[in-house]
């Protein structure tokens, strides 16, 4: 997790929501602080001029997480891979 500095726009990066891509794009335009893989505490947000939370449909997020952790290295598994004959 990166340290949050005073005056930065804060992005709360919820896993498997495309937050990394959003952050990469937004860094072109603003100084960003990122909160990822830890709980948000109120003091993180005290000096932020703006807080952004990236969200995603929960079902899509679960499918994405499952595929990312799959033995196929993030590629969706074919039915034939899951149940070999």
């Amino acid at each position: 997790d990166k340290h949050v500095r005073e005056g930065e726009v804060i992005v709360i990066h919820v896993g498997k929501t495309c937050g990394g891509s959003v952050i990469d794009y937004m860094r072109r335009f603003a100084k960003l602080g990122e909160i990822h893989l830890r709980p948000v505490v109120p003091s993180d947000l005290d000096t932020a001029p703006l807080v952004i939370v990236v969200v995603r449909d929960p079902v899509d997020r679960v499918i994405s997480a499952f595929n990312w952790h799959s033995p196929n290295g993030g590629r969706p598994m074919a039915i034939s891979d899951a149940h070999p004959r």
Side-chain angles (χ1 to χ4, degrees), residues 16-75:
K16 311 314 300 169
T17 60
C18 197
S21 297
V22 170
I23 289 166
D24 289 345
Y25 178 78
M26 291 187 61
R27 282 206 166 110
R28 299 177 193 176
F29 310 105
K31 290 185 178 186
L32 299 179
E34 177 184 1
I35 299 174
H36 184 54
L37 300 176
R38 70 170 176 83
V40 178
V41 295
S43 62
D44 289 332
L45 312 178
D46 286 346
T47 62
L50 179 66
V51 177
I52 298 170
V53 180
V54 181
V55 296
R56 183 176 184 181
D57 178 274
V59 173
D60 288 342
R61 185 172 174 261
V62 168
I63 292 168
S64 177
F66 175 83
N67 288 333
W68 190 82
H69 289 287
S70 77
N72 285 352
R75 295 180 310 277

